[in-house]
Amino acid sequence: MTLLEDKTPNRTPLSKLGEFGLINHLSKDFELKNETSIFGIGDDCAVIDVGHHFQLLTTDMLIEGVHFDLTYTPLKHLGYKSVVVNLSDIYAMNGLPRQITVSIALSNRFPLEAVEELYEGIRLACTAYNVDLVGGDTTSSTSGLCLSITAVGEVAKDKIVYRSGAKEHDLIVVSGDLGSAYLGLQILNREKQVFVSDSKMQPDLQNKDYILQRQLKPEARKDVIDLFKSKAIIPTSMIDISDGLSSELLHLCANSKVGCAIYEQKIPIDYMAISTAEEFNISAATCALNGGEDYELLFTISQSHYDAIKDNRDLTIIGHITDVTLGSVLVTEDENHQPLTAQGWNSIT
Ligand code: ADP
Ligand code: MG
């Protein structure tokens, strides 16, 4: 009998730990032994001392049926997105990406032309973000497509930004708008269901361009990192929004040992996302707080930088950092103070 088959009661289901519980549990007995390993697990990238700067390292795996659905995801978009989500983690440390490696597992369901499409998307992202494809691995899969990308970047030692530097009274800022990628996914899933029940029906994707693009072909916020440089701003903490604003803000607060107050009515949400949320009879703010895959940057800055960002329409101050004893609070539109929670979508509805 193997461990996997053993059904005795003391086997622990992974669902009991959750993703972050599992990572903590598995990694707790690993110590950093090398002086060059500056930071290991627990931020957007690992940090390695390579001499005159720090090297940043991050990796992400995308699995067909879990992270993407090829019935509505063009392979070119998938290639592009899979690079962008890695680069976003490099920008979240205030760094610049330089190289990627791409590892793929393919089944014989994929002809050469399909893999070429995937790589065309990867190439477009490499061009757009000025990164080089420098290696990878290719293997076979018995079922779906698996894609694992690793990105390497660099940052000046005195410019690196961790999740852990937020201080009381700092301003909490997000780039762009939130919730659109999640609502784009809801549209794609709805139209897929319609198609499955009647293959003669054409998908109704009219007037949804922006939110579909946010789901299928997101961009990483290199422009925000460039802006920090031009305005001589170094955020006190930063993270990219892959899992939803609530979850990422709780990471920043936990790592920085602070509390926060954010204001629901200040959360930037695109009008198309608002009208789509109404169509689905769900709250647009909840999509922004818990939806995920926006790949915007969430960061904190000292109040002294207020003037430098206050007129930037692409950056929104959504709240401020408080003392840890005050907890992490969402002030709703009707002035209710609620504790922020990192809910998955399923636990909300
Ligand atoms: P992000 O959302 O920014 O990509 P994750 O939530 O995926 O970050 O990961 C959180 C941290 O845990 C990162 O530092 C990541 O490198 C680390 N991590 C994730 N999975 C594992 C694993 N299986 N073993 C070791 N470290 C891991
Ligand atoms: Mg991240």
Side-chain angles (χ1 to χ4, degrees):
M1 183 144 64
T2 71
L3 263 178
L4 291 178
E5 289 158 343
D6 189 345
K7 297 270 189 317
T8 50
N10 62 352
R11 300 286 118 189
T12 313
L14 294 180
S15 55
K16 208 174 152 198
L17 292 96
E19 180 190 344
F20 300 117
L22 178 64
I23 297 169
N24 288 342
H25 181 78
L26 295 177
S27 61
K28 68 179 187 312
D29 296 329
F30 288 79
E31 275 170 23
L32 298 180
K33 294 179 288 296
N34 294 293
E35 258 178 45
T36 48
S37 302
I38 302 298
F39 195 94
I41 296 166
D43 214 301
D44 291 293
C45 294
V47 182
I48 299 162
D49 191 344
V50 289
H52 84 292
H53 64 263
F54 285 146
Q55 192 169 63
L56 303 168
L57 189 61
T58 179
T59 192
D60 258 303
M61 184 149 60
L62 299 176
I63 305 289
E64 183 179 351
V66 178
H67 301 100
F68 58 88
D69 183 333
L70 288 180
T71 49
Y72 53 67
T73 310
L75 281 162
K76 200 198 274 187
H77 288 59
L78 177 64
Y80 193 90
K81 179 172 176 175
S82 59
V83 175
V84 161
V85 302
N86 276 279
L87 306 187
S88 179
D89 278 320
I90 303 260
Y91 295 126
M93 310 290 294
N94 204 26
L96 289 178
R98 297 289 187 215
Q99 290 89 15
I100 57 164
T101 63
V102 176
S103 300
I104 48 172
L106 296 159
S107 67
N108 55 13
R109 184 174 128 232
F110 294 92
L112 170 65
E113 288 71 18
V115 191
E116 281 177 344
E117 277 284 294
L118 181 74
Y119 266 70
E120 178 59 11
I122 292 172
R123 197 182 61 77
L124 283 171
C126 285
T127 306
Y129 292 92
N130 194 30
V131 299
D132 298 318
L133 170 66
V134 293
D137 196 20
T138 306
T139 185
S140 57
S141 153
T142 51
S143 54
L145 170 66
C146 304
L147 194 55
S148 171
I149 297 195
T150 297
V152 177
E154 63 187 54
V155 59
K157 289 183 176 175
D158 58 350
K159 303 269 183 335
I160 191 164
V161 179
Y162 292 99
R163 294 176 178 179
S164 56
K167 298 276 177 302
E168 193 180 356
H169 308 305
D170 282 353
L171 303 173
I172 302 172
V173 187
V174 286
S175 63
D177 59 77
L178 302 177
S180 292
Y182 178 83
L183 284 157
L185 183 63
Q186 302 317 301
I187 293 285
L188 291 166
N189 277 328
R190 180 182 75 186
E191 296 309 312
K192 181 186 169 183
Q193 296 312 322
V194 171
F195 184 76
V196 166
S197 59
D198 179 358
S199 61
K200 285 192 286 299
M201 291 286 284
Q202 285 301 306
D204 177 14
L205 303 174
Q206 266 196 348
N207 302 323
K208 301 291 182 198
D209 295 12
Y210 177 67
I211 61 172
L212 291 174
Q213 188 200 327
R214 295 284 287 167
Q215 169 58 222
L216 293 172
K217 189 174 172 284
E219 301 290 352
R221 299 307 304 256
K222 174 181 193 306
D223 57 325
V224 175
I225 303 311
D226 293 342
L227 179 94
F228 291 151
K229 195 169 178 198
S230 70
K231 302 256 181 199
I233 294 172
I234 300 176
T236 50
S237 70
M238 185 152 57
I239 188 168
D240 70 325
I241 304 183
S242 51
D243 292 340
L245 177 62
S246 288
S247 164
E248 313 299 3
L249 199 47
L250 289 171
H251 283 311
L252 277 195
C253 287
N255 287 33
S256 299
K257 299 188 177 62
V258 293
C260 70
I262 61 161
Y263 298 85
E264 183 179 2
Q265 70 198 71
K266 298 215 165 141
I267 299 172
I269 304 178
D270 182 77
Y271 75 93
M272 194 187 289
I274 293 173
S275 66
T276 308
E278 278 168 10
E279 262 176 63
F280 282 93
N281 207 13
I282 52 183
S283 142
T286 309
C287 296
L289 285 161
N290 300 293
E293 292 203 285
D294 292 307
Y295 299 104
E296 294 295 342
L297 292 171
L298 168 68
F299 55 93
T300 55
I301 50 171
S302 135
Q303 290 197 12
S304 60
H305 291 307
Y306 173 74
D307 282 338
I309 66 143
K310 72 176 193 310
D311 295 326
N312 189 317
R313 296 179 59 182
D314 208 26
L315 298 179
T316 310
I317 299 169
I318 58 166
H320 58 273
I321 295 295
T322 60
D323 187 80
V324 69
T325 54
L326 298 178
S328 297
V329 172
L330 172 72
V331 182
T332 62
E333 277 175 36
D334 47 9
E335 297 284 310
N336 246 318
H337 290 229
Q338 294 179 356
L340 265 185
T341 48
Q343 299 160 315
W345 183 259
N346 289 337
S347 61
I348 304 163
T349 47

